[in-house]
Amino acid sequence: MSDEVAAMPVGQQESADGTQTPVRRLPVQFSLTWLLMLLLVIALASAYLVTVARLRTAEAELSRLREETGYLPPSAEDEIAAARLTSDQPMTYRIRVRVPASPPYRIAYSSVWPEAKAAPVWFGAVDVPPGESVVTVRILKDPRDDRWKITTLRRSVDGTRRMATVLPQNHVEIFRGSHDWLSAGVSRQSSTRPVGQSLRLLDERVLVGEGAMMLYGDRPPAEEMVGVFAELQPDSGAI
């Protein structure tokens, strides 16, 4: 018997008795056009999935940056706008503001709202240039002279401007104590007002004494209130 094995013809199958029977195969045909279209669909689906993943990552990063730097939606030319920014420091408040070219605006600040008065007694003010600016108002102990102050820092494209006022000793004792706070003013959502009007940015009242549980709202307080107050207002002369 020869050691060589004859190659079985394609399309035939050898049975147990040595006979060969034809095998019927399905006629599968692949055209070059069909293959190219399949590769194109796979490529487009992969690119879409990658784009969706990158878009979600970018949206999450944009949301985080907006919380840190603040975002003011477009407003009318005859409006002023402001929104609160996040802050991780105690008694530190950050606000983004937008004002038109005219009239000129400023940010007035204070730590006291006298009894039965319609507004705080403003200590000073920082001018605000046209466009957007970031304002930081803080209560802190100045390391240069060890005195407690309320400071207002404005940053914009034209530079930085800072104002500070030494706090009365009774205010210092209140700020250093443990009290509840009544927080108002603008929120993280954009607030707007017509040009020529004022916009209360901060209204952070320390609740102490017998009136600590009273919510005064927009009415004048029934007793002197200590807190952190700031207002975006037309620059119409001396405070």
Side-chain angles (χ1 to χ4, degrees), residues 95-142:
I95 311 103
R96 181 176 289 275
V97 301
R98 181 193 296 132
V99 298
S102 180
Y105 268 83
R106 66 190 178 194
I107 294 178
Y109 64 91
S110 175
S111 68
V112 60
W113 191 321
E115 175 185 352
K117 296 295 183 180
V121 175
W122 303 115
F123 293 164
V126 176
D127 65 288
V128 182
E132 292 191 7
S133 304
V134 174
V135 180
T136 303
V137 181
R138 299 183 64 188
I139 301 292
L140 78 165
K141 186 177 182 180
D142 194 331

Side-chain angles (χ1 to χ4, degrees), residues 72 82-85 94-96 184-191 200-201:
L72 286 175
R84 182 84 65 97
L85 310 184
R94 301 172 61 241
I95 311 103
R96 181 176 289 275
V186 298
S187 65
R188 293 185 182 179
Q189 301 297 322
S190 177
S191 299
R200 184 66 52 81
L201 303 177

Side-chain angles (χ1 to χ4, degrees), residues 30 34-35 49 95 103 125 142 175 179 181 185 200 214 217 220:
F30 294 92
W34 185 88
L35 182 60
L49 294 176
I95 311 103
D142 194 331
F175 286 128
H179 304 287
W181 288 67
R200 184 66 52 81
M214 296 180 62

Side-chain angles (χ1 to χ4, degrees), residues 214-226:
M214 296 180 62
L215 304 181
Y216 297 102
D218 294 331
R219 294 176 297 171
E223 61 183 32
E224 181 178 280
M225 297 293 296
V226 175

Side-chain angles (χ1 to χ4, degrees), residues 158-233:
D158 70 341
T160 301
R161 180 75 183 276
R162 179 179 182 272
M163 290 284 290
T165 301
V166 177
L167 292 171
Q169 186 58 37
N170 64 319
H171 291 192
V172 175
E173 297 301 326
I174 291 176
F175 286 128
R176 296 182 64 182
S178 178
H179 304 287
D180 292 328
W181 288 67
L182 175 62
S183 180
V186 298
S187 65
R188 293 185 182 179
Q189 301 297 322
S190 177
S191 299
T192 60
R193 293 289 187 277
V195 166
Q197 294 187 11
S198 297
L199 177 58
R200 184 66 52 81
L201 303 177
L202 295 174
D203 191 335
E204 307 289 321
R205 309 184 195 187
V206 184
L207 302 181
V208 295
E210 296 180 356
M213 300 304 297
M214 296 180 62
L215 304 181
Y216 297 102
D218 294 331
R219 294 176 297 171
E223 61 183 32
E224 181 178 280
M225 297 293 296
V226 175
V228 182
F229 308 101
E231 186 173 271
L232 181 63
Q233 57 185 224

Side-chain angles (χ1 to χ4, degrees), residues 51-155:
T51 302
V52 169
R54 290 179 176 176
L55 181 60
R56 289 179 178 176
T57 301
E59 289 177 344
E61 181 67 15
L62 178 60
S63 178
R64 184 184 66 82
L65 290 175
R66 283 181 173 178
E67 287 188 358
E68 292 180 356
T69 62
Y71 173 70
L72 286 175
S75 55
E77 295 182 357
D78 59 350
E79 289 182 331
I80 59 174
R84 182 84 65 97
L85 310 184
T86 57
S87 175
D88 56 0
Q89 299 294 325
M91 291 187 292
T92 299
Y93 309 91
R94 301 172 61 241
I95 311 103
R96 181 176 289 275
V97 301
R98 181 193 296 132
V99 298
S102 180
Y105 268 83
R106 66 190 178 194
I107 294 178
Y109 64 91
S110 175
S111 68
V112 60
W113 191 321
E115 175 185 352
K117 296 295 183 180
V121 175
W122 303 115
F123 293 164
V126 176
D127 65 288
V128 182
E132 292 191 7
S133 304
V134 174
V135 180
T136 303
V137 181
R138 299 183 64 188
I139 301 292
L140 78 165
K141 186 177 182 180
D142 194 331
R144 297 171 299 180
D145 55 14
D146 289 334
R147 294 193 294 179
W148 282 82
K149 301 175 181 179
I150 178 172
T151 67
T152 300
L153 178 69
R154 182 266 296 159
R155 291 187 176 94

